Amino acid sequence: MATPVKPIRRAKGLSDRAIAWVFVAPSIFLLLAVNIFPLIWTINLSFTDFKANRNRDVEYIGLRNYERILTDSDTWLTMQATAHFLFWTIFFQVLIGFALAFLINKKFRGNDLWTTIIVLPMMLSPAVVGNFWTFLYQPQIGLFNYMVTFFTGGDPSSFSMIGEVALAPWAIVIVDTWMWTPFVMLICLAGLRSIPGSIYEAAECDRASKWRQFWTITIPMVLPFLMLAVLFRGIENFKMFDLVVQLTGGGPGSTTEVTSINLKREAFEKWRTGYASAYAVILFVTVFGLASIYVKALNKVKDR
Amino acid sequence: MSFSVTEPSNSQKWIAGILVIGYALITILPLIWIIATGFKSPSDAIAYPPKVIFEPTLEGYVNLFTTRTRVTDETLAALGPPTTWYDAIVRQYDMIIAGPSRYGERFLNSVIIGFGSTFLSVFLGTIAAYAFSRFRVPLKDDLLFFILSTRMMPPIAVAIPIFLMFRQLGLNDTHLGMIMLYTAVNLSLSVWLLKGFIDEIPVEYEEAALIDGYTRFQAFYKVVLPQAATGIASTAIFCLIFAWNEYAFAVLLTSGTAQTAPPFIPTIIGVGGQDWPAVAAGATLFLVPVMVFTILLRKHLLRGITFGAVRK
Amino acid sequence: MKRRLLLSTAVLGALSAAGTSQAADLTLCWAAWDPANALVELSKEFEAESGHTMSFEFVPWPNFADRMLNELNSGGQLCDLLIGDSQWIGGGAENGHYVKLNDFFEAEGISMDDFAPATVYAYSTWPKGTPNYYALPAMGDANAWFYRRDWFENEEIKAAYKEATGDDLREPQSQTELLQIAQFFQGREIDGQTRYGASIFTERGSEGITMGVTGALYTWGFKYENEPGSYDMEGAVNSPEAVEALEFYKELYETATPPGYSDSYMEQSLDAFKSGQVAMAMNWFAFFPGLYADPNTGGDNIGFFVNPPQNQAGSTLGGQGISVVSYSENRDAALEYIKWFAQPSVQATWWELGGYSAHNSVLNDPGFADSAPFAGDFLEAMNDVQDFWQEPAYAELLLAMQKRVHDYVVADQGTAQEALDKLIEDWTEVFEDEGKL
């Protein structure tokens, strides 16, 4: 705690400037120690052949790590797996999330409670939930196959969501959509509620159809919110690790090996620390670059 | 009731209600299934087709909290009849309880690290947010942006240097190390959210207090803090939920002493095979507090989520 | 002068006495499986004798390597004693994680000649085969098979098999016969339930599919190198025999395993067998005592056989040695445990409780082969075991193989030839990084 201020009338105790520094410094210090310093260290390591599990001399090898990563066809496969995951999770979450928000905004009785229930999955530990979904996905004994074949007919043991190359990418999309649709829904709901009723009333006077109102008022007004939700889901799912690692572990083969899993293998299983550091830098630059471009677009939409 | 063109008609409300409730029911089905599986016997848990109606048992919970060893019939006979209900459950399988499992410790670790880091990140976040909100801090916007951008990095990428740093400092697998790390990760969110809440408090209140002879510091904790209480509470809930659910750092940086529950729960196995009721029991105990929390505090939580996101 | 000397020796004596008599709390780390429970039982004797207390940290197999190697690499002090996998010995020795035990063995009169040579070679030595010991063989193990004896001896099923294949149903004598039997059982109705052929290792995350597929590879005559120690792999790793063996394993996976068996290792194999899904299953000997004791599928209903030969006999080596972790603060007490564990009488109890002793006094005992229904098979398997690379870079080598083999066998990408060719590329890269090529 800061020193107790003596009641001598020295204006107002500590000067504002001093308080500002005392208040901000611990945070800045912690972030420097746990974020910035490590980041610089990572960049430095990315030019070396360092292996954290070996006691041998570390050599600077220039851009060789970067060259190896970018020319390795497996890197591009993991990027593809990540892109597939990103695209479809965002697609479904936006679609379902917006629809739900639209419906909830009709303010039926008890919508508050049901909204809370829908929100539950996003509050839970992805690793724990993801682990349990492997049980739900088991052919025969799992609930998922049983439910699906209950509606479509067929044998519940005839397919395996996390075992088949064609299905595994969808298995992770389904769980992520289940977990995070509520997030998009909440943001959309905030957007819908920010639209003043008077706009619709004016449109009503102009005899604009409901359909027209939806496309000319609702969608444009909610769009900035929706784009924001997409940005957050995009960043989060680009980093995705816990859910996928527990669900499929990257398999079968390398079908669902998203970049984080690949990075974990390089860094903490193969212990190619230098190589993995370069990989981390590439990922960071990618997210940062894509996010910056996106934010520019977002601001344009906002200004419109 | 005054008629409004923007008020949906009754039939619209009905259709909307049915659709949303339908989705909600599907969405909680997996969660109900987790809770139910915790009360199944191992054979009921892997029955085909999946059993909806079953005889509840506490086997999963007994298996979750104990380690058991298989003994010969003679040893079992020599022990005499079981003295407790949990002994009786274990004896059915020719096994005896050898000792407690690690689940309790891991759960406690989650509590210590979760609450410790939440307290620190909210404390540091509140004072930093106050400073950012009220004073001219040089490079303010850059600092705020920088604080946020640290969250774009995949946790595994951050974990590489943290691992090396912790190894140097002997912080691997310690509570202190994990609390520091989670505090740092949560700090960006905490500063960001709290700055928003404090911005909303009119400056006039403090100015009045300062004129009354309060020091700046007294004005902060006697006037601003009480006003920001709800904001601080919802920020705390977010920090706690993050620390509670975090997996990537925990799995890489802890191995025993400070390991939290998320990396531990998926590794619960029984004798010869995944013990799903025990996993489900462990998951239930771990998830239910958050569920209850969410339902009880839904107003703050939902407001916090949208608020935090939309502000950014 | 004399007094000072006396005094100092007295102090020294007191110090060293304090050093040895002080009760330590030792933590032993191992995988969470049946033998670990047996070891807890066994160690009670040590606690009573020495006054030290024992704690245990048992990690499930799929996470075992990950967690323990992470622990070692972070210089952690969680484990005083570690029963680490055979392939870790190179890294453990070269990176200074394990205490070198030669002086200790010499001082305490523990001779490595008292242990089965294959286990000493695999679990204790680095560089391989040299008299530099970093572990004491703790648990002999190999991958083998077990089957539903009640089905194999059922007259109706035997007749059906004869009719379908023209052969007699028996314990398979070759890999191809194993495949034929597994395919026969695949999808067959027995007692009103659909049964499947065999549960095999296909796990992706740790070492599962590699341990499974090498079982086939070794019997086809697979070699890692053309000349041992040369790291010359072209023509060995991707020999026509190796390609054939890999194609065989894929066929076994595709035509004779239960649905959804794309990511299964020890537990899943046991689950499938115990729940009556499969006729045959592969797994480590370590589980066999537990399987035999199972009230439903054990006893007379289970039979065991060694990994069947194809072009030659061969089994995948499992098992571990026990090492003292160099970061431990209880080194002396940990060494005391090893000294205690190496005694023939303790080794005999170890085998009785369900651990696989590697001590000659146990293995060479005339009654050993009949002491359990799988004891003879164990001796036979240990004669022809082969192990994966034990190089310090073992993790990188293993991960490459996991990926290439899983991509081919389970994810159905490319051909066996391509998978093995790529594997050589990956391995070459690793050895180049190591400066060995």
Side-chain angles (χ1 to χ4, degrees), chain A residues 15 38 141 185 191 299:
Chain A
S15 75
I141 61 171
M185 175 191 88
N299 286 336

Side-chain angles (χ1 to χ4, degrees), chain C residues 288-310:
Chain C
F288 289 11
L291 282 164
Y292 186 64
D294 192 275
N296 302 315
T297 53
D300 290 340
N301 291 339
I302 194 171
F304 304 90
F305 59 92
V306 174
N307 189 35
Q310 188 66 23

Side-chain angles (χ1 to χ4, degrees), chain C residues 160-226:
Chain C
Y161 183 77
K162 180 88 179 168
E163 199 190 303
T165 64
D167 296 326
D168 288 322
L169 183 57
R170 53 171 185 175
E171 288 184 7
Q173 305 297 311
S174 70
Q175 295 282 329
T176 36
E177 188 177 354
L178 183 140
L179 177 65
Q180 181 179 307
I181 296 172
Q183 286 173 339
F184 165 77
F185 278 104
Q186 181 79 354
R188 183 160 294 268
E189 287 274 312
I190 300 175
D191 303 331
Q193 263 193 291
T194 311
R195 318 288 181 170
Y196 302 93
S199 52
I200 59 174
F201 297 160
T202 55
E203 184 244 19
R204 168 77 170 90
S206 63
E207 55 169 20
I209 199 167
T210 300
M211 294 299 122
V213 84
T214 47
L217 286 170
Y218 296 147
T219 60
W220 255 269
F222 172 87
K223 288 271 170 286
Y224 288 97
E225 303 157 282
N226 287 317

Side-chain angles (χ1 to χ4, degrees), chain A residues 2-270:
Chain A
T3 45
V5 187
K6 282 186 190 153
I8 342 161
R9 289 239 156 242
R10 191 174 49 107
K12 294 164 192 146
L14 282 172
S15 75
D16 283 3
R17 173 175 274 260
I19 287 196
W21 278 112
V22 170
F23 278 14
V24 175
S27 296
I28 298 295
F29 174 76
L30 195 65
L31 288 169
L32 278 178
V34 185
N35 277 316
I36 287 305
F37 171 64
L39 181 66
I40 294 167
W41 197 356
T42 306
I43 294 171
N44 181 31
L45 284 176
S46 73
F47 302 113
T48 69
D49 65 350
F50 180 55
K51 287 189 165 190
N53 65 341
R54 311 295 283 276
N55 315 315
R56 59 172 201 200
D57 295 338
V58 178
E59 274 177 50
Y60 280 84
I61 53 171
L63 290 171
R64 189 156 147 60
N65 284 328
Y66 290 90
E67 187 197 321
R68 265 168 89 167
I69 294 166
L70 296 174
T71 54
D72 187 346
S73 60
D74 291 340
T75 308
W76 300 105
L77 288 177
T78 63
M79 289 284 185
Q80 269 174 29
T82 312
H84 178 277
F85 177 67
L86 265 176
F87 178 81
W88 288 108
T89 51
I90 289 176
F91 177 80
F92 285 121
Q93 288 169 22
V94 164
L95 205 66
I96 304 173
F98 180 78
L100 283 172
F102 189 74
L103 293 173
I104 287 170
N105 204 34
K106 297 286 176 208
K107 304 193 183 76
F108 57 89
R109 267 213 310 171
N111 69 70
D112 186 32
L113 178 74
W114 293 105
T115 309
T116 316
I117 287 177
I118 290 175
V119 166
L120 280 180
M122 68 176 274
M123 297 293 178
L124 306 177
S125 166
V128 175
V129 174
N131 175 242
F132 199 82
W133 267 90
T134 62
F135 179 58
L136 295 171
Y137 274 147
Q138 302 261 323
Q140 293 192 306
I141 61 171
L143 192 61
F144 186 85
N145 283 25
Y146 190 69
M147 297 278 287
V148 169
T149 49
F150 183 81
F151 290 113
T152 64
D155 181 6
S157 56
S158 60
F159 66 101
S160 160
M161 286 304 291
I162 48 181
E164 284 168 37
V165 178
L167 295 177
W170 298 105
I172 57 177
V173 169
I174 289 172
V175 182
D176 192 76
T177 303
W178 171 75
M179 257 194 121
W180 291 106
T181 296
F183 178 78
V184 181
M185 175 191 88
L186 287 175
I187 308 271
C188 288
L189 203 54
L192 286 170
R193 288 184 176 159
S194 72
I195 307 176
S198 57
I199 301 190
Y200 288 109
E201 277 161 20
E204 203 72 19
C205 291
D206 293 346
R207 296 169 190 264
S209 69
K210 289 279 175 202
W211 184 246
R212 227 185 115 72
Q213 287 179 30
F214 178 78
W215 284 106
T216 53
I217 303 173
T218 314
I219 293 288
M221 295 289 274
V222 177
L223 195 61
F225 288 84
L226 207 56
M227 285 185 73
L228 211 60
V230 168
L231 175 68
F232 290 131
R233 289 314 307 146
I235 293 177
E236 285 299 313
N237 276 0
F238 195 86
K239 305 195 298 189
M240 177 52 67
F241 177 68
D242 38 13
L243 189 71
V244 178
V245 98
Q246 280 299 331
L247 267 173
T248 63
S254 314
T255 335
T256 57
E257 190 166 307
V258 292
T259 43
S260 278
I261 295 182
N262 193 245
L263 181 58
K264 194 250 172 184
R265 290 215 166 105
E266 294 296 338
F268 291 96
E269 290 177 26
K270 296 184 183 173

Side-chain angles (χ1 to χ4, degrees), chain B residues 68-69 102 106 163 167 172 252 255-257 259 267 269 271-274, chain C residues 32 34 37 56-57 60 63 67 70-71 73-74 78 267 270-271 274 293:
Chain B
R68 300 156 309 283
T69 40
R102 300 260 180 209
R106 304 301 202 251
F163 175 87
R167 179 165 75 178
N172 265 312
L252 295 172
S255 58
T257 328
Q259 194 185 44
T267 68
I269 56 161
V271 178
Q274 188 93 3
Chain C
D34 288 359
N37 296 332
F56 298 91
E57 184 74 27
N63 307 81
R67 265 225 12 231
N70 198 330
E71 171 71 15
N73 288 326
S74 63
L78 178 70
E267 287 107 46
L270 295 173
D271 269 355
K274 287 182 175 178

Side-chain angles (χ1 to χ4, degrees), chain C residues 364-406:
Chain C
N364 297 343
D365 186 290
F368 179 81
D370 299 321
S371 60
F374 39 81
D377 289 333
F378 176 64
L379 288 181
E380 189 189 331
M382 291 305 283
N383 279 333
D384 301 301
V385 284
Q386 288 186 53
D387 201 7
F388 190 75
W389 296 105
Q390 297 188 334
E391 294 281 326
Y394 125 87
E396 285 172 66
L397 299 164
L398 179 69
L399 280 159
M401 182 145 182
Q402 284 289 106
K403 178 178 166 62
R404 294 306 172 201
V405 172
H406 208 268

